[in-house]
Amino acid sequence: MVFLTPIVMQRTALFVTFGGVVTSLITTFLPLWKTMNSDLNEVENWFSGLWHTCLYTEEVGVQCKAYESIMGLPMDLQISRVLMLVSVGTGCSALLAAIPGLEGVGMCVGQPGLKRRLLILGGVLSWVSGLTTLAPVSLVAYTTVVDFWDEGFPDVMPRWEYGEAMFSGWFGGLALVIGGTLFFVAVCMRDYDQRPASVPNSPQAKHRTKHYLKTEVL
């Protein structure tokens, strides 16, 4: 395809990775990881995130309160906090590493080997960022499902359900993984375009070459 060039693939990978980093950053601080609606009191809606809990009522609106103690949080939220911060940090590092390695950027000029290594590093960091986003979101989703179907709770007791931030976290993690993969594809495409011209080494080609030489001598 004419439009599928290494430069286009690099720009696409950068755009997808940037979108994944922004989505993961928003997901980290969004208080919509879990939601809870009570059938006994339908005017109250509870929202829970990694950093605070919010209550929505029609009279007052949204009221949020930060968690008082880190040690008092469930283990899944503690792990998710650390992994999401690692995800945002590695995602930003992936962008910083990949930008100098892009073709057409006036950085590392005349050093194609360095540009290639920077793109590979950006792809690896984007992969790490994507996995560290998918892991905490999936962990919280698993614990939410386990608690929701726990038969030890009374049926009338409200239970936590998936919030919008869970889906945005999965989307951001997948975008980061796809962006890292596109960086690897861009490197492979560039290596393919810069490959040396092939020299015929087959026995038939060598035989024909010797025959031409004998003909010239005769």
Side-chain angles (χ1 to χ4, degrees):
M1 296 180 65
V2 179
F3 297 102
L4 193 59
T5 61
I7 297 179
V8 174
M9 187 61 65
Q10 292 173 11
R11 300 299 190 274
T12 304
L14 185 67
F15 175 78
V16 174
T17 302
F18 177 77
V21 172
V22 173
T23 305
S24 297
L25 179 63
I26 295 174
T27 303
T28 302
F29 299 99
L30 199 65
L32 295 174
W33 283 60
K34 296 186 292 185
T35 62
M36 183 172 61
N37 299 324
S38 176
D39 294 335
L40 300 178
N41 189 0
E42 298 180 355
V43 298
E44 291 184 356
N45 295 325
W46 290 87
F47 305 98
S48 176
L50 298 180
W51 308 96
H52 47 267
T53 302
C54 297
L55 172 63
Y56 171 78
T57 58
E58 296 181 356
E59 295 79 7
V60 181
V62 179
Q63 292 179 318
C64 296
K65 181 180 179 181
Y67 296 118
E68 296 179 356
S69 174
I70 298 178
M71 302 305 297
L73 291 176
M75 185 58 64
D76 59 336
L77 291 184
Q78 295 184 29
I79 297 175
S80 298
R81 277 187 175 188
V82 176
L83 291 179
M84 290 301 296
L85 293 178
V86 171
S87 172
V88 174
T90 53
C92 294
S93 300
L95 294 175
L96 294 177
I99 289 176
L102 298 176
E103 295 184 24
V105 177
M107 302 175 69
C108 304
V109 179
Q111 297 176 303
L114 179 58
K115 281 183 171 289
R116 182 178 184 275
R117 290 191 293 270
L118 288 174
L119 287 178
I120 294 176
L121 178 60
V124 172
L125 291 175
S126 183
W127 260 82
V128 173
S129 179
L131 294 178
T132 51
T133 298
L134 295 174
V137 175
S138 301
L139 176 61
V140 175
Y142 171 76
T143 57
T144 303
V145 172
V146 172
D147 294 339
F148 184 86
W149 295 108
D150 190 355
E151 297 180 354
F153 290 97
D155 294 337
V156 296
M157 184 176 182
R159 308 185 186 192
W160 291 106
E161 299 179 10
Y162 288 172
E164 289 80 358
M166 302 282 287
F167 301 99
S168 65
W170 277 318
F171 176 80
L174 290 176
L176 287 167
V177 172
I178 294 173
T181 304
L182 293 180
F183 277 125
F184 299 145
V185 174
V187 172
C188 294
M189 292 177 62
R190 185 178 179 183
D191 293 342
Y192 182 80
D193 291 343
Q194 295 181 350
R195 71 190 189 283
S198 59
V199 179
N201 293 322
S202 61
Q204 294 81 0
K206 292 181 179 180
H207 177 73
R208 287 196 298 268
T209 303
K210 292 181 180 180
H211 178 72
Y212 294 152
L213 291 175
K214 290 181 180 179
T215 304
E216 290 178 0
V217 171
L218 292 177

